[in-house]
Amino acid sequence: AEWPLRPGRTTGYDEGYYDSLPLIREVPAAFKPNITFCENHTYDHIKPTKISIVMHYFNEPLSLVLRTVYSALRSTPPAFLEEVIVLDDGSTKPDETGLIIAILRALAPHVRYERNTVASGLVPARRTVLTMATGEYVFLVDAHVELHDGWYLPLLNITQENYRAVVAPVINLYYHHIPKMVFNDEIRVQFSVFLNWETGKASKGGAPFTSGAIMGGAYLIARRRLQELDYIGRGLTGYGRENIEVGLKSWLCGGEVWTVPCSSVTHFSALRTPETHPGRPVSDNILHNPKVLAESFFDDEHLLRVARIRWQSYTITDNSTVEFNRKLASSLGCGGLRRVFQTIMPEIELFTDEDSGGYLLTVNGHLTQFHETAVVSTQSGHYGRGEKDWL
């Protein structure tokens, strides 16, 4: 299909290439799940339920936004689809706004277009669009994601058993012409706020596995659970770390986080960072958001001390969000960060070493000291330090 768009946009995406992709296409072979495992599973017991598929965008290529909407409609049968909500977070291209409204209205009656008159930033926009949902379940996706057939059944297989679970498909990254599986055979632990993102298990058998947090690009959660947890992003700014909040709240407040390899989506990635969201500088968001989360939910004094050392250069000027989150955590009986941490990452043992004034970690028997700027991450069995992936 040809997209009714103009060439030459500068959004960080290779728009000419993405625009040229057919609207209906085969899933790249590199992105297909473990066929034998997944085809041996039936989901006849899944009860029809209504899912709100929600997304937001800011000055993104409209071909990708429309591909996301179309793939949502095409891959989700009416018995399971409540609505598709598209939130335009104050994009600054009014001619294209009119175009997308006309196209969305022509696609289906239950596609809703909403617009913020002023851009709020990624995290506030996500919070806003989540609150708009009316379905029993909410599937949040980036507005540059292609949903694959049958994506919803393996996810509902878990959430219908445990409404407190947050479940995510495998998110396959597509960089221009190069497909890349996010979850591959390589063992990798990302040490982000003491919660690992994933552990490289997705292509080893295809069974669902627990994970500390999720990538923010696609996940399913019961709307009832979202309301219990006060949605996401209260007091967070700009871009990022709300996915860590989802993991923290879920595990600390009686829930779970699962990655489900038999469900997958394709994420069309930018060649560089797209247009910057308004609000605080990115450097402020990198410090503000994780510090708010640590002060809100870290109930272990030693882990909180390390977090405070790590972000000591940033001061939270308004503590109302931290106070609200602490009251929320208390009302829900949330707690046990160290227990959660040790459950999710049993290969890592963390303890205090008073003589050296820092933490010591043993990772599969390897001893590593954790100083104020140290990060433990693993890749292909290598354990090292660095600032990357802290948050």
Side-chain angles (χ1 to χ4, degrees), residues 49-52 135-139 156 159-160 220-223:
T49 187
K50 293 298 188 178
I51 302 171
S52 295
E136 185 178 358
Y137 293 90
V138 184
F139 189 53
L156 289 172
T159 55
Q160 287 192 350
L220 181 78
I221 185 171
R223 185 163 63 94

Side-chain angles (χ1 to χ4, degrees), residues 262-284:
C262 289
S263 175
S264 66
V265 301
T266 295
H267 180 280
F268 294 93
S269 302
L271 298 173
R272 59 175 176 77
T273 303
E275 297 179 42
T276 304
H277 280 266
R280 297 172 183 260
V282 172
S283 58
D284 274 9

Side-chain angles (χ1 to χ4, degrees), residues 176-251:
H176 187 42
H177 302 273
I178 306 171
K180 175 185 176 184
M181 291 193 73
V182 174
F183 305 111
N184 49 36
D185 288 330
E186 186 177 82
I187 299 299
R188 185 177 60 142
V189 178
Q190 293 182 317
F191 198 63
S192 296
V193 193
F194 309 111
L195 292 176
N196 62 312
W197 210 300
E198 50 89 3
T199 52
K201 301 175 184 176
S203 60
K204 296 186 176 182
F209 60 90
T210 56
S211 184
I214 41 125
M215 293 187 69
Y219 59 88
L220 181 78
I221 185 171
R223 185 163 63 94
R224 171 186 172 193
R225 181 60 168 169
L226 267 177
Q227 293 169 335
E228 283 182 359
L229 297 176
D230 185 49
Y231 296 92
I232 61 168
R234 177 182 289 271
L236 302 188
T237 62
Y239 180 92
R241 309 316 181 228
E242 82 292 342
N243 59 316
I244 303 296
E245 179 189 11
V246 172
L248 279 170
K249 282 183 174 180
S250 297
W251 284 111

Side-chain angles (χ1 to χ4, degrees), residues 283-300:
S283 58
D284 274 9
N285 299 329
I286 291 172
L287 295 173
H288 174 84
N289 291 355
K291 189 163 187 177
V292 167
L293 295 179
E295 294 289 347
S296 297
F297 299 110
F298 280 24
D299 63 350
D300 181 281

Side-chain angles (χ1 to χ4, degrees), residues 116-165:
N116 288 335
T117 55
V118 177
S120 62
L122 182 141
V123 179
R126 290 203 164 171
R127 180 177 177 86
T128 297
V129 77
L130 285 169
T131 63
M132 292 176 176
T134 62
E136 185 178 358
Y137 293 90
V138 184
F139 189 53
L140 174 71
V141 292
D142 285 345
H144 39 265
V145 164
E146 187 176 59
L147 284 65
H148 300 163
D149 290 344
W151 66 268
Y152 54 96
L153 291 173
L155 303 183
L156 289 172
N157 191 43
I158 293 177
T159 55
Q160 287 192 350
E161 289 292 325
N162 178 8
Y163 87 94
R164 293 187 176 92

